[in-house]
């Protein structure tokens, strides 16, 4: 599994680079910043490399042996547990490095409403608009059409959050909903009148969380597989092409679905900051996805 070994070697190299910094970066952090920038860039496409590595494992003698009597890799609970710990750690590392680098840049060029990667006035409505635009692009590329998205509730709300994290979460959920709507209604012969996806933003003075609900009429999820939807490597889409060259983590040119990472990583992003993701589905009708955003106050870091 050359790809997994490559990831391991990259992490060893990154750790050695940090340990080898000799100057006092409290006086001059130029070298420290350069090292962190290189590390941040080096690990930018780790998700795709993990996906490639697991494809290699699946075809290896060890993988073939491990999969005896199993449907696919998502049935191997030890792989799911390892991936969950790995990606939660990765979220934490990239959050800290990204925050440091952004703070460094903002000393030279201040960015309104931002402290590092945190925006004190993040608008879930505006983030959702951006995620909708990109999800529709991918859906139209795949199917030639995409449902509209109707937004309701507290569209005026702003809060302290990391916009890039929220974008990724909403992007993944909207992609899933759009694919479900198009496929369900193409099978039923009503693709010419795709129903809207509805996004509701809820908040109040006494609310513990900011909640976002994404509702679709995409046929829902069978109860027999509902517990597997949030596990790594499980996908209801067909298998993605084995050629992952040229793809990047969370890129618009990636396949619309099929890698099996979108929902569990979205849940990990939310849980890292004290939130959560829940799905409620009605088989034959549609699915409601509930995003619970914890306000960034005194939550402790989620560690694997």
């Amino acid at each position: 599994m050359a790809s997994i070994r490559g990831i391991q070697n990259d992490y060893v190299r990154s750790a050695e680079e940090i340990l080898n910094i000799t100057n006092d970066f409290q006086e001059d952090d130029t070298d420290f910043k350069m090292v962190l920038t290189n590390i941040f860039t080096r690990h930018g496409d780790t998700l795709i490399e993990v996906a490639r590595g697991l494809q290699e494992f699946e075809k290896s003698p060890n993988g073939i042996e491990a999969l005896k009597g199993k449907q696919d890799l998502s049935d191997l609970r030890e792989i799911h547990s390892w991936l969950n710990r790995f990606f939660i750690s990765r979220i934490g590392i990239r959050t800290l490095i990204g925050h440091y680098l952004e703070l460094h840049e903002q000393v030279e060029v201040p960015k309104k409403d931002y402290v590092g990667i945190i925006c004190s006035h993040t608008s879930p409505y505006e983030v959702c608009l951006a995620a909708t635009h990109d999800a529709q692009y991918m859906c139209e590329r795949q199917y030639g059409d995409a449902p509209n998205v109707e937004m309701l509730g507290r569209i005026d709300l702003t809060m302290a959050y990391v916009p890039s994290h929220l974008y990724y979460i909403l992007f993944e959920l909207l992609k899933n909903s759009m694919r479900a709507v198009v496929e369900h209604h193409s099978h039923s012969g009503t693709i010419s009148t795709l129903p809207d996806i509805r996004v509701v933003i809820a908040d109040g003075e006494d609310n513990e969380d900011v909640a976002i609900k994404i509702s679709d009429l995409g046929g829902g999820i069978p109860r027999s597989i509902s517990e597997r939807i949030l596990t790594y490597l499980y996908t209801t889409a067909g298998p993605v092409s084995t050629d992952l060259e040229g793809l990047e983590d969370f890129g618009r040119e990636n396949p619309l679905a099929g890698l099996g990472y979108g929902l569990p990583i979205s849940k990990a992003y939310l849980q890292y900051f004290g939130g959560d993701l829940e799905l409620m589905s009605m088989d034959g009708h549609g699915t409601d996805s509930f995003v619970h955003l914890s306000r960034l106050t005194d939550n402790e870091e989620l560690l694997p």
Side-chain angles (χ1 to χ4, degrees), residues 112-290:
K112 184 181 178 183
D113 297 331
Y114 273 82
V115 179
I117 62 173
I118 299 170
C119 177
S120 59
H121 290 83
T122 300
S123 167
Y125 170 73
E126 292 180 359
V127 174
C128 190
L129 284 180
T132 296
H133 175 76
D134 289 343
Q136 285 177 326
Y137 163 79
M138 296 182 71
C139 189
E140 289 170 357
R141 183 192 66 196
Q142 181 83 13
Y143 300 107
D145 199 2
N148 292 321
V149 175
E150 179 185 11
M151 299 193 61
L152 305 168
R154 288 291 311 277
I155 61 175
D156 61 324
L157 172 70
T158 62
M159 60 183 293
Y161 210 75
V162 182
S164 58
H165 290 188
L166 180 57
Y167 165 85
Y168 170 74
I169 294 159
L170 297 178
F171 177 55
E172 288 297 325
L173 293 171
L174 287 166
K175 280 197 307 177
N176 286 352
S177 287
M178 289 181 187
R179 181 176 71 88
V181 167
V182 173
E183 291 188 352
H184 178 66
H185 289 272
S186 64
H187 294 157
S188 62
T190 58
I191 194 169
S192 60
T193 55
L194 294 176
D196 290 353
I197 294 169
R198 303 183 73 188
V199 177
V200 180
I201 302 170
D203 184 42
E205 292 182 0
D206 298 326
N207 288 19
E208 181 176 332
D209 298 327
V210 173
I212 301 174
K213 181 175 75 169
I214 299 175
S215 301
D216 67 62
L217 299 177
I221 302 166
R223 189 165 59 90
S224 60
I225 66 171
S226 60
E227 292 184 359
R228 303 180 67 192
I229 289 296
L230 291 171
T231 59
Y232 287 93
L233 305 175
Y234 182 78
T235 176
T236 58
V240 70
S241 167
T242 55
D243 183 10
L244 299 177
E245 290 297 328
L247 302 184
E248 59 184 26
D249 286 13
F250 318 134
R252 292 206 322 167
E253 302 308 319
N254 290 2
L256 181 64
L259 289 176
Y261 293 88
L263 289 179
I265 289 183
S266 295
K267 188 178 180 73
Y269 269 113
L270 287 163
Q271 291 182 333
Y272 183 78
F273 284 120
D276 206 356
L277 172 64
E278 297 177 307
L279 302 180
M280 297 187 66
S281 190
M282 184 181 292
D283 193 11
H285 181 71
T287 300
D288 289 344
S289 304
F290 294 89

Side-chain angles (χ1 to χ4, degrees), residues 45-94:
D45 295 333
T46 296
L47 188 154
I48 295 297
E49 288 302 310
V50 169
R52 183 180 289 111
L54 288 173
Q55 287 180 349
E56 294 166 358
F57 171 72
E58 198 169 10
K59 297 175 182 178
S60 71
N62 288 339
I64 294 171
E65 180 66 26
L67 283 170
K68 284 183 178 179
K70 308 289 185 182
Q71 183 176 342
D72 51 43
L73 287 176
S74 66
D75 287 331
L76 301 176
R77 296 299 303 174
E78 58 269 35
I79 290 183
H80 169 79
S81 298
W82 181 86
L83 287 173
N84 198 49
R85 294 194 305 272
F86 175 80
F87 281 117
I88 287 176
S89 295
R90 181 173 185 265
I91 288 169
I93 292 169
R94 290 185 70 78

